[in-house]
Amino acid sequence: MRSVGTLTRADLAESINRRVGLSRAESLTMVESILDHLCDALAEGENVKISGFGTFLLRDKAERIGRNPKTGVEVPITPRRVLTFRASQMLKDRICAGD
C-alpha cells in the first residue's frame, strides 16, 4: 500500500478509510478538501499552523545581490515569496526519538 519512502495522498486516504471507516472515495475527497483548503489559505497570504505538527510560513524576500559561485560575477536576485515549514516540538521529538 505505502510507497517506499514517500507518503502519498492515496496513503492518507487509505489510512482514513481503515481508521475512520469512510469509503475510499469519501476518504480521498476528505484528503483533497484539506489540502485544497491549506493551499487556498497559503495563496491568500495566510500562514498555516497545524497544532502538534508544524507551521507553514510565507516570507517575502527582498531583492539582493547574489554571486555566481563558479565565475564570481554578481547578479541581482529578484524579490520573491518563499514558503517554509517549521516543525512543532512534538513532531521533532517524535522524529528524533530514534537517535
Side-chain angles (χ1 to χ4, degrees):
M1 278 178 234
R2 182 157 183 239
S3 305
V4 178
T6 303
L7 181 66
T8 65
R9 292 172 189 226
D11 295 332
L12 292 172
E14 179 65 27
S15 180
I16 291 170
N17 171 260
R18 277 182 302 185
R19 293 181 185 197
V20 181
L22 295 176
S23 71
R24 284 195 165 92
E26 290 172 325
S27 299
L28 190 55
T29 300
M30 180 181 282
V31 170
E32 292 294 334
S33 176
I34 291 168
L35 293 175
D36 284 344
H37 192 68
L38 188 137
C39 289
D40 290 345
L42 290 168
E44 293 173 10
E46 297 178 48
N47 292 327
V48 176
K49 180 176 182 177
I50 302 173
S51 183
F53 182 71
T55 306
F56 295 91
L57 298 166
L58 289 169
R59 285 186 38 210
D60 289 317
K61 294 186 126 186
E63 182 172 353
R64 61 190 173 93
I65 299 296
R67 183 166 298 154
N68 182 327
K70 197 170 195 175
T71 64
V73 175
E74 290 187 350
V75 188
I77 299 173
T78 58
R80 64 193 195 276
R81 178 173 276 178
V82 295
L83 176 65
T84 60
F85 176 75
R86 187 168 50 213
S88 72
Q89 191 60 49
M90 285 176 59
L91 180 59
K92 289 178 186 177
D93 292 344
R94 191 167 177 179
I95 291 172
C96 298
D99 288 350

